[in-house]
Amino acid sequence: MQLPDQQSFLLLDPPSASDFCRRASLREKDSAHDAHFPSIDLILLSGAIRDAGFRPHYIDAQLDRLTWSQLLDRIRKEGVQGIISLLSSSQLEEELAHLKELKASLGGIPVYGVGTIVLLKDKPRLARILQDHQWLDGMILNTAENNLGELITPGSDSVAPFNIAKYEATQLMVPEAKVRYGDGLRISRPEHDIFRDGRYCFPQSKRGPVTCVQWAFGCPFRCEFCIDNQLYKKMLYRDVNDVIEELVEIDRLGFREVYFKDLTFGLHRGLAEEFLAKLANRKLGLKWLCTTRVDVATRDMLELMKEAGCYGIEFGVEHAHESKRRMLDKKITDEKIAEVFADCRRLRIETTAFIMLAFEDDTEQDVRDTIRFARSLRPNYVSFNVVNALPGTPYEERARKEGFLREESDLAFAAGNIRHTHLNPAQVEKLRRQAMRSFYFSPRVVFQRLLDVRSFFELRKLVRLGLATMG
Ligand code: SF4
């Protein structure tokens, strides 16, 4: 309950440099990423702030296209006692400089940053940043994938109040990961209502408003290019009943869609069966979307997911060739992938295939094979991503060792940061654009899309996605 004199704490998605899309870490025009939804880190933090006696407040300055000075005016008008701001890896120094000014203009209120996994992995850089920015009251790391209770009060078994004193300047907030596979973690229930915004949608959304939930943290697989899996060797699950109650509340608040931010939804089979059966029993109006692996999505599991309200699944398909997938820790046959996509079609679960275009040794033919393979699966959506060697990944390490990393690495460059043996950057970029167009403008996909449109919300989203694809 909100008390009239309750102090508010701002959760901030800060302004971004013009022409930069923070969510996609790309220039806006290259991102084809016209779906915006709130950060799961901020959503998870909102409950901890409330439990500490503050009123969580939220501004998405990127969505509102605020400049830093407009943001300052708005904060002054709305009044906050502290700020927790997302930070990006590639714009970090610029963002910190602006936050420092903001803090000074607001009389020195506490300002905390939410660091990225890349930053967490690069401890010397993190130490340097904290040393250089002693005005920063603390850096919250690992928020979305950790036991937030333990993060806030290390060693505690229960959800602890948000303790500002814990976040001292220059303190390295790198909590010990105490993960127990299948354990019933409890965290502060997020305050979803403050993130409600009619402009938010997922690329696959059919209806709004939308929000995000996280049930499990971590992923035990070791895909070479992946940074998201780097925090845990094991997975940590939140208490099943607690997550169900969170979804019931989200439904009651009027949200229509949820995106599970778990890296591999439903990996723990027993917990997934329990969770899905309980969710189906509640008969909520909510529909949801998740990401998982093809080798997790058995027929039985897909049926349970459908009954529990799942309308879409994102799968990492990555590459056309099994040999390449095996190298990436995706030891999955072509037949198995085709079977799972067909099962989803039968159950009317929409599919999104994540595809990685142009590994360092790919030829033009390999890339074309991959595009063709993606299309042959008949997914509803495909996300074609040019391979990037993300900092802190084994792939980056290998790229550096084998000499195919472009040291002038720039994630704002749509054609990736690796040198190709058989392709130049212009060819890679051309292939990516061709891939997008050949999929999204194929008569089958356009026709199906138009047939499937059920609401103005969806039509508006499709027009925006189409424009981004043409960009
Ligand atoms: S399965 Fe997904 S989240 Fe897990 S390591 Fe592979 S790419 Fe990363």
Side-chain angles (χ1 to χ4, degrees):
M1 193 182 66
Q2 182 185 327
L3 303 172
D5 60 347
Q6 205 175 4
Q7 297 193 320
S8 80
F9 220 98
L10 174 64
L11 292 161
L12 175 66
D13 197 333
S16 59
S18 62
D19 198 27
F20 179 75
C21 174
R22 175 179 300 108
R23 289 170 178 79
S25 289
L26 287 172
R27 289 179 315 221
E28 257 184 0
K29 71 186 181 61
D30 294 320
S31 73
H33 196 275
D34 204 39
H36 291 277
F37 45 89
S39 142
I40 189 67
D41 299 82
L42 298 185
I43 291 177
L44 291 172
L45 278 165
S46 64
I49 289 173
R50 182 209 53 235
D51 285 357
F54 291 97
R55 179 166 55 85
H57 182 55
Y58 173 59
I59 295 179
D60 183 338
Q62 201 176 358
L63 186 70
D64 288 345
R65 303 212 167 255
L66 298 179
T67 61
W68 285 92
S69 75
Q70 288 166 332
L71 174 67
L72 175 62
D73 290 345
R74 187 156 151 195
I75 293 176
R76 278 198 173 122
K77 233 177 269 159
E78 294 172 5
V80 297
Q81 279 67 49
I83 298 175
I84 296 179
S85 175
L86 293 181
L87 296 169
S88 59
S89 294
S90 48
Q91 311 272 307
L92 186 64
E93 284 302 334
E94 198 182 324
E95 287 167 353
L96 286 172
H98 282 298
L99 285 170
K100 185 179 178 186
E101 272 177 35
L102 203 63
K103 180 183 170 96
S105 309
L106 293 167
I109 62 170
V111 174
Y112 304 92
V114 180
T116 59
I117 302 175
V118 171
L119 202 54
L120 176 63
K121 291 283 296 171
D122 191 349
K123 295 204 172 61
R125 184 177 172 216
L126 179 58
R128 225 174 22 251
I129 288 164
L130 292 174
Q131 192 57 42
D132 292 351
H133 296 277
Q134 299 209 9
W135 58 270
L136 192 64
D137 294 85
M139 183 78 88
I140 302 171
L141 298 165
N142 199 6
T143 308
E145 297 186 273
N146 209 323
N147 176 340
L148 197 54
E150 286 181 14
L151 174 67
I152 290 165
T153 305
S156 164
D157 278 341
S158 59
V159 177
F162 184 72
N163 188 345
I164 298 298
K166 297 278 180 216
Y167 297 101
E168 288 167 7
T170 75
Q171 184 181 352
L172 287 182
M173 292 299 298
V174 185
E176 286 295 305
K178 295 178 192 160
V179 290
R180 297 161 298 246
Y181 189 74
D183 208 355
L185 167 71
R186 297 182 85 92
I187 63 167
S188 297
R189 171 98 38 93
E191 283 280 325
H192 287 279
D193 213 19
I194 65 167
F195 298 95
R196 182 200 298 260
D197 191 312
R199 292 168 295 174
Y200 282 139
C201 67
F202 314 127
Q204 304 91 332
S205 285
K206 311 245 164 286
R207 48 195 97 69
V210 306
T211 190
C212 302
V213 168
Q214 190 154 3
W215 174 29
F217 301 85
C219 175
F221 294 99
R222 287 289 164 262
C223 302
E224 192 187 23
F225 54 83
C226 183
I227 183 82
D228 295 331
N229 63 348
Q230 303 237 351
L231 297 175
Y232 296 108
K233 296 275 185 279
K234 293 178 179 174
M235 289 185 78
L236 182 63
Y237 279 87
R238 287 175 58 195
D239 179 77
V240 166
N241 294 321
D242 218 31
V243 183
I244 301 277
E245 290 313 316
E246 182 177 332
L247 291 164
V248 169
E249 186 177 317
I250 288 171
D251 188 57
R252 186 183 56 74
L253 288 169
F255 287 96
R256 302 310 340 131
E257 281 190 16
V258 160
Y259 185 177
F260 279 97
K261 296 303 290 178
D262 302 32
L263 295 175
T264 306
F265 184 91
L267 184 61
H268 188 297
R269 206 173 166 76
L271 283 176
E273 284 171 3
E274 180 192 347
F275 176 77
L276 293 168
K278 284 183 170 167
L279 183 55
N281 271 339
R282 301 302 282 262
K283 304 208 179 316
L284 305 181
L286 272 183
K287 298 289 174 211
W288 51 273
L289 172 76
C290 67
T291 307
T292 195
R293 286 175 57 109
V294 166
D295 46 4
V296 171
T298 60
R299 234 165 240 174
D300 296 351
M301 179 71 83
L302 288 172
E303 278 168 12
L304 286 173
M305 289 167 78
K306 177 70 185 180
E307 272 173 44
C310 174
Y311 78 90
I313 307 180
E314 299 172 332
F315 293 107
V317 172
E318 322 307 1
H319 200 275
H321 299 156
E322 270 183 50
S323 53
K324 178 63 89 182
R325 291 199 299 270
R326 225 172 292 128
M327 280 175 58
L328 303 172
D329 202 13
K330 291 251 162 74
K331 302 175 189 73
I332 307 171
T333 62
D334 291 357
E335 292 71 29
K336 176 68 188 168
I337 297 173
E339 181 189 307
V340 168
F341 276 76
D343 284 343
C344 288
R345 267 198 305 282
R346 184 176 55 79
L347 289 165
R348 296 187 177 279
I349 296 176
E350 289 194 346
T351 48
T352 302
F354 288 136
I355 298 293
M356 303 201 66
L357 288 183
F359 281 89
E360 74 287 357
D361 52 352
D362 271 348
T363 61
E364 183 168 339
Q365 190 54 48
D366 294 330
V367 177
R368 292 196 184 283
D369 288 350
T370 298
I371 297 169
R372 202 169 305 116
F373 182 61
R375 292 183 58 178
S376 75
L377 299 170
R378 295 170 54 204
N380 299 82
Y381 302 88
V382 184
S383 176
F384 290 107
N385 302 295
V386 172
V387 175
N388 257 306
L390 294 176
T393 59
Y395 188 60
E396 190 215 27
E397 209 177 301
R398 183 161 71 81
R400 183 163 289 121
K401 207 187 296 165
E402 295 179 13
F404 63 85
L405 183 73
R406 287 195 298 116
E407 287 295 347
E408 70 280 19
S409 152
D410 173 10
L411 292 184
F413 179 54
N417 65 349
I418 57 171
R419 275 196 198 86
H420 297 88
T421 316
H422 310 288
L423 297 163
N424 63 44
Q427 281 174 298
V428 173
E429 179 53 15
K430 195 169 157 203
L431 285 165
R432 183 183 74 93
R433 288 185 183 276
Q434 280 176 2
M436 294 287 283
R437 288 189 178 138
S438 73
F439 180 78
Y440 283 103
F441 295 135
S442 80
R444 178 188 70 78
V445 171
V446 171
F447 185 63
Q448 194 59 49
R449 280 283 181 288
L450 292 174
L451 272 187
D452 288 346
V453 170
R454 293 281 179 275
S455 63
F456 177 67
F457 177 92
E458 204 183 349
L459 183 65
R460 191 186 55 172
K461 185 209 69 181
L462 281 177
V463 169
R464 280 169 24 195
L465 190 66
L467 291 175
T469 308
M470 284 189 286

